[in-house]
């Protein structure tokens, strides 16, 4: 029998599910008292057993919390806002599955003009729910940080603490790619559909981003982010030496 996963705020015994998780457990999964579940808390995952279901779901924890399926490499995906938010939903879902620790959408010179007037609060709340469900599905423990979109000029503060940041760019630049052998943190910068303006590329490289050129084909922004994360994980992370 497949063990179902539920999010909880803490490990207090007994545990009461939130209204949202109670609905998911009882209406979507149709769980019953006695069912074993895996609980996802801020401190890690641990087993539990459903004791009762009334207007809430009460669960007894059966073990200690531990981190599961979290990559050793902390990768931040800086994703240029695509022209349609459905594309960002796909990027976020797949980035979570691939192990991204943070996903930071940003606005730049060639971002679609509609975002300058659009209130993205409700849209981003929906996308955060997609990230949460991706964590549940792929058996991770932590939900990646996913702030509201920021301006490109604000990326610098997020890039500085990282050991290495890769700028995936549609043109081959002359800068030599220097990377630490075993970084603990990395960043991936992906532009929107229109790419980057030249001065933005200069800014990003001045801030330490290492340009990377993927030869052969031009990728859509939602494809580029997923491909870039896979490459970084294959070079430095969990997928190293898989092939």
């Amino acid at each position: 029998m497949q063990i179902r996963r539920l999010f909880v705020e803490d490990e207090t015994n007994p545990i009461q599910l939130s209204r949202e998780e109670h609905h998911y457990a009882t209406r979507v999964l149709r769980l019953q008292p006695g069912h074993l579940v895996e609980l996802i808390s801020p401190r890690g995952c641990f087993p539990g057993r459903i004791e009762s279901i009334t207007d809430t779901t009460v669960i007894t924890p059966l073990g200690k919390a531990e981190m599961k399926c979290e990559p050793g490499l902390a990768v931040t995906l800086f994703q240029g806002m695509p022209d349609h938010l459905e594309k960002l939903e796909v990027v976020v879902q797949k980035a979570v599955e691939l192990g991204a620790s943070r996903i930071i959408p940003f606005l730049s010179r060639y971002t679609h003009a509609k975002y300058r007037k659009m209130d993205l609060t409700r849209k981003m709340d929906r996308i955060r729910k997609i990230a949460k469900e991706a964590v549940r599905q792929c058996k991770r423990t932590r939900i990646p940080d996913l702030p509201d979109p920021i301006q490109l000029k604000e990326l610098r503060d997020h890039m500085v603490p990282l050991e290495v940041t890769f700028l995936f760019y549609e043109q081959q630049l002359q800068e030599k790619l220097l990377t630490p052998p075993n970084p603990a943190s990395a960043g991936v910068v992906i532009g929107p559909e229109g790419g980057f303006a030249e001065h933005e590329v200069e800014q990003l490289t001045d801030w330490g981003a290492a340009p990377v050129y993927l030869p052969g084909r031009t990728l859509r922004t939602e494809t580029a982010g997923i491909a870039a994360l896979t490459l970084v994980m294959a070079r430095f992370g969990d997928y190293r030496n898989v092939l």
Side-chain angles (χ1 to χ4, degrees):
M1 179 179 175
Q2 182 180 3
I3 300 297
R4 302 298 187 173
R5 310 183 82 220
L6 301 169
F7 287 94
V8 297
E9 297 299 324
D10 55 44
E11 299 147 47
T12 304
N13 188 6
I15 294 170
Q16 290 191 8
L17 294 184
S18 67
R19 179 180 297 181
E20 180 181 357
E21 287 299 292
H22 168 67
H23 179 272
Y24 179 75
T26 58
R27 302 296 184 184
V28 178
L29 300 180
R30 300 190 180 278
L31 298 177
Q32 299 293 328
H35 277 157
L36 297 177
V37 293
E38 183 174 48
L39 304 171
I40 312 167
S41 80
R43 293 184 58 245
C45 299
F46 56 100
R49 180 180 61 245
I50 296 179
E51 297 297 338
S52 65
I53 298 175
T54 53
D55 56 344
T56 186
T57 300
V58 178
I59 301 176
T60 298
L62 300 177
K64 294 183 178 180
E66 59 178 317
M67 287 293 168
K68 293 183 178 180
C69 300
E70 288 299 314
L73 176 67
V75 181
T76 298
L77 171 62
F78 301 101
Q79 175 66 53
M81 287 291 288
D83 55 359
H84 295 292
L85 287 173
E86 290 81 2
K87 295 180 181 180
L88 184 61
E89 293 175 4
V90 172
V91 170
V92 166
Q93 182 186 66
K94 303 312 176 188
V96 171
E97 293 177 21
L98 289 167
S101 298
R102 291 190 301 167
I103 305 166
I104 301 181
F106 67 88
L107 307 172
S108 57
R109 172 66 179 82
Y110 296 128
T111 302
H112 199 290
K114 66 183 178 182
Y115 293 121
R116 296 172 190 165
K117 299 180 180 180
M118 186 183 296
D119 183 358
L120 293 171
T121 303
R122 293 180 63 183
K123 297 290 187 180
M124 290 305 300
D125 285 344
R126 168 179 163 76
I127 292 173
R128 290 186 189 99
K129 288 182 180 179
I130 290 172
K132 181 178 178 179
E133 289 309 310
V135 167
R136 196 197 306 268
Q137 181 274 325
C138 72
K139 299 184 179 179
R140 284 183 64 177
T141 303
R142 288 179 173 159
I143 303 172
D145 293 334
L146 179 55
D148 289 347
I150 63 176
Q151 298 295 326
L152 184 137
K153 63 183 180 182
E154 299 176 76
L155 262 61
R156 183 180 184 277
D157 291 339
H158 296 279
M159 289 171 53
V160 167
L162 302 175
E163 291 185 45
V164 60
T165 297
F166 300 101
L167 167 61
F168 283 78
Y169 188 49
E170 63 266 25
Q171 298 179 30
Q172 190 166 12
L173 303 181
Q174 296 301 316
E175 286 86 346
K176 187 176 181 181
L177 185 62
L178 298 175
T179 60
N182 294 295
S185 62
V188 170
V189 184
I190 304 295
E193 276 86 357
F196 290 108
E198 288 187 12
H199 75 275
E200 292 175 328
V201 175
E202 292 175 3
Q203 274 187 320
L204 290 164
T205 54
D206 286 346
W207 297 338
V212 177
Y213 172 65
L214 297 179
R217 291 160 297 282
T218 300
L219 303 182
R220 295 177 184 271
T221 183
E222 65 271 27
T223 308
I226 297 166
L229 276 174
T230 304
L231 287 171
V232 171
M233 284 297 185
R235 174 74 181 275
F236 303 108
D238 294 352
Y239 300 155
R240 184 167 33 185
N241 301 323
V242 169
L243 296 178

